Structure formats: structure tokens, C-alpha cells
Amino acid sequence: MATNVIMPKLGMTMTEGTIIKWHKKVGDAIEEGMPLFDVETDKLTNTVNANVSGTLLKISVPEDGTADCLAVVAVIGSEGEKLEAEPAPAAAAEPAAPQTESGNDLIVIGGGPGGYVAAIRGAQLGMKVTLIEADAVGGTCLNRGCMPTKALLHSAEVYELATHSAGIGIVANDVSVDWNAVQNARAGVTKKLTDGVKALIKANKITLISGKASFADPKTVSVGGRILTAGKIIIASGSAPIVPPIKGISECGAVIDSTACLQLDHVPESLLVIGGGVIGLELGSVYARFGSKVTVVEMSPKLLPLMDSELTAMVRRQLETKGMEILTESKVVSVENCGAGGRVHIECPNGERTVEAEKILLCVGRKPNIEGLGLVKAGVKTERGYIQVNDRMETSVPGIYAVGDCNGKLMLAHAAMAMGETAAENAAGGSKTFIAAYSPSCAYIGPELAGVGYTEEQLKEKGVDYKVGRFVTAANGRSLVSGHVDGMVKIIAGEKYGEILGVHIMAPSATELIEEAALAIRLEATVDELVDTIHCHPTVSEALREAALAVDGRAIHPFRCFPNFPGGCVRFVHSLTPR
């Protein structure tokens, strides 16, 4: 006789459980005591063992399905045993009009870094939160942006080290790339991170709804036939790639976006990148390390247009030294199919060029993803496609907030997270502001590059007197050990008081070092205060302190033979006032 398998009640407060894994499938032989399924609650994960022997005849609750305690989740019986037929469903009734689901304190639209962080912070503050995601939890960053790119980059860095370490006595013969394993590692990182976010959402008792949300009015949202209301709503809808009006771009089969570039089934022989921003250079440097011939086309006079010009010029030299071709002040005018993949016609300063490549990566920027949100019905104002917000992340409509790429303040995942926390705290009655100047920017290109605060160009435009200290990594012991001797740390400080106005780093782990600089700017620290902070030896961080010393011409370890800086650790003063 068949025996029902029920969802066990594993604790006093447990009311339901989610089956995250079945160890057996229908038709498998079951022995009493063997693991049958894993169940997850908001507090623990347990393996449930079979309490009878027999054959697994039916699974009623699939993986990722939730069941109330004591509900039937499976049936075990004798092989070939017929189960009682389930009653036929009743005749379909006329569909009822959807009822409004009230009771939410906060609705968050978008489950990327800005959205899921806002949802979690709102829940921490005691709000009843519903999170709506149209695609995959984790957004662009975790699924097809920051994290999968860094996974590929790590594989590329390890390969480069394995093939370029003979100078320090490490000789590796016949090193090869298992591309399927590289891609599996990338996918594995994404799954672990997105599963982790889902667990956090569940642990914080946030209701997760899959679907595309649209405003019906300032406090009402519809999604998949459901209507929800909340006192506060946070928009975190992210961004989408821009597709420029280049002739032939849609017809050429070789053209790919960054998502497709992450998932290629092989390393292309050649890759032409349209766009010299962070995304294009990161992916270009990945494939260049794996052996692709990479060409980058950028319309602006320099790469990474928003970052420090002096350091981006150094980045360009290093990338060119590694074999990448960089074409700045150049414009792609048309693209067409050819035997090699795609043929690209480019207007360059010295005339037109034609470049053929197996793949053409299009990444010229991103635009806010607000189509279909019904912002007009909510009364939310936009400007140039971006949702307008104040420094509290509140839109033109009180109680509606917008964070991350959709507001255009800073299109960076870490900035979106900070905005999400700001919006959630204000939605809960707080008074918190987001200050973009305190948020660092970064690029993982080979030499890591990071910056926070003002650049020299920005200070010149503002008419601010400043002084600069530079320290090259060739004079830093830890950088010398690792072979990264072609970087620099640059500190810009106010001429009169020495307050730190900007820090720009191209060095090993630059993205880890920049947080100290961001904190210094946030606390309005001076170069003297940074100098008085003792740094561990030997570390790359010592270069930050030496650059602070160099602001006033007193670096302890100047490197006077560095070819691009014949004066050693250069002190530079830019003043608009007569001396």
C-alpha cells in the first residue's frame, strides 16, 4: 500500500519548507533511512530520510517548490502500484477581476544590486517588502556583467601567469586552455552568487515576484495579472545596452553584445571592440590574454573618458605593448558580413581604415531601462531618459524612489547598492543622502585602475588651486616582487590646506586600495593625516602614503630612473593665483 511522504515540521516556528533538492527520481528504488530530499527553511537546511522502503511513485512538490508542514510532497509504494486517480478539475469559472493585494510597506521594482539591497535594508528596518524582478535575481551585475566578467578575467590572469613566469623561475610547459572548464567556472560563480541572493531574500522574509512591473498610480503596481499597493516604492530597473545607428550593425552576424561575449563557445581568432569604456576594455583584455587579436575603436581622444587622463594614457601604452591595437578619435561608419566574420569600416584621424574580425563586440554605453514602467501614470518625471531624483533618491513624486543605473547618477553596481540603502532608509522614515563624489570608480583591465574624487581636468574647469603627488609602483617593493612596475599612484590635494581632493591609482589591487582614499575624502582628510597613518610593509598600499609625501616633495623612496618621470616622484602645483 502506498505511503505518503509529508513535509516534516522541523521546528516550533516552522510553517512551510522549500525542497531544494530531490536525491531520487520517480521510479527509483527507496530504502528506509536513505536521503530522500533536502528541505530549506528561513533558519536551516535539513536532509529528510525515507521512512519506508519501496519505489518512489510520485513527486508532488518539485525542486524549488514550497509546501506547508504536513503537506504531501511525494508517494512511496510497491513497484507498478497504481495510485488513486486524482479528482477531475472543476469546470473553469469565469476569470475574476484581480484583487488588489495590500499590506506591503515597500515594493521594490528590480532585483539587481540596487534593488535587492534596498529590499533587504527595508526588511531589516521592519518593513513588509515585496521585490519584483522581470528576469533573474542579481540583475546585470551578477548574471551578465561584473561578476561573470571577473570570473573570465581571473582565468585569463592565471593563464597569463602560467605562460609568463619563466623570469621568476616558474617554467610551465604545454599550458593549454580548457575553454569549456573556463565557461563552467564562470557559470558556477554566477549560480553561487545568485543562489546566495535568493537565500538572503528568503531569510529576510521578502516576497519575491517574477514578472515585469508597471505603475497604475503612484502607490499601485501591476505585475503578471496581480495588483499590489504599498506606501513606498523603489524603482531599481537598471539599464540596457545602447545600439548606435551604425549602418549594417543589425544585419552583421559577427556583431555581439557583452552578454554574448561572455558566453562564446570558443576563443575567437580576432575581436574588434566598438567602445573604449570599461566594459569593452575589460572583455577585450580577457580575450587578448587568451590569444585573440584585439582592436579597440573609441570616438573620444582617450580611453576610459571619465577617468584620469594621465593614468588612462599609461593604460593605453600597456595594452598596446601587450598587442592590442587602440584607435582613438575614430568612428565606425559601417559593418558588413565577410568570410572572416565581419568587416568594419572606420573613420580615423589619418583616413579611413577597414578591419576584419571574427567577432565584433558592441559596447558603446548603456541607457536606463524604464520602458513599460508606466512612469507617466505615477507622475514620475524623467530627464534625457533618466529618472530625476534628489540626493535622498526620491523622485518628483513623494514616496517613490529610484536607484542605480535608471537615475543616471553613477552607473556602477557599488553605487547602486549605496543608493538602495539610502532609498530604503528614507522610505522607512530616515534622512540619509547619497553623495556621488564619495563613490570610487574602477576598471579591471590588466593593470587595475581606480579613482575617487576630482581629476585634474575637473579642478581646472572649476578654477581650483591644487597640487599633485605621484609615486610609481617601480619604487614599491611589493609591486616589484609581483612584477607590476609600470603603475602609479596619484594624489591631488588643495594647495592651501592640503585636503585630499582626488586619488587615482593604477597598480596591483588598485580596486582594493581605493577604499582608503574614498574614506579619506569622505572624512575631509589632509595629506598630512594620510602620511601619519602607518601602512604595513611590504604592501602596495605604501605607494599611497609615498604619493601623499610626494605632494609636498618629500617622498622617502623616489624612483629617479623611471623613464616617464625623469624627476622621480613629481610634485606639481597648479595655481590660478599670482605668487
Side-chain angles (χ1 to χ4, degrees), residues 471-472 475-476 537 542 546 549 554-560 569:
F471 191 81
V472 296
N476 173 257
H537 174 79
E542 290 176 285
E546 290 274 12
L549 285 164
R554 54 194 181 106
I556 301 298
H557 301 91
F559 186 72
R560 302 193 180 280
C569 300

Side-chain angles (χ1 to χ4, degrees), residues 150-163:
K150 302 312 167 289
L152 285 187
L153 183 62
H154 177 66
S155 294
E157 287 173 339
V158 172
Y159 178 65
E160 185 177 50
L161 279 172
T163 54

Side-chain angles (χ1 to χ4, degrees), residues 199-218:
L200 288 171
I201 290 169
K202 187 176 182 67
N204 283 279
K205 301 186 184 305
I206 297 164
T207 301
L208 177 62
I209 298 177
S210 179
K212 187 168 178 58
S214 179
F215 281 95
D217 62 48

Side-chain angles (χ1 to χ4, degrees), residues 40-44 120 123 196-206:
E40 180 185 67
T41 71
D42 57 354
K43 294 182 179 179
L44 51 81
I120 290 171
V197 172
K198 291 175 187 176
L200 288 171
I201 290 169
K202 187 176 182 67
N204 283 279
K205 301 186 184 305
I206 297 164

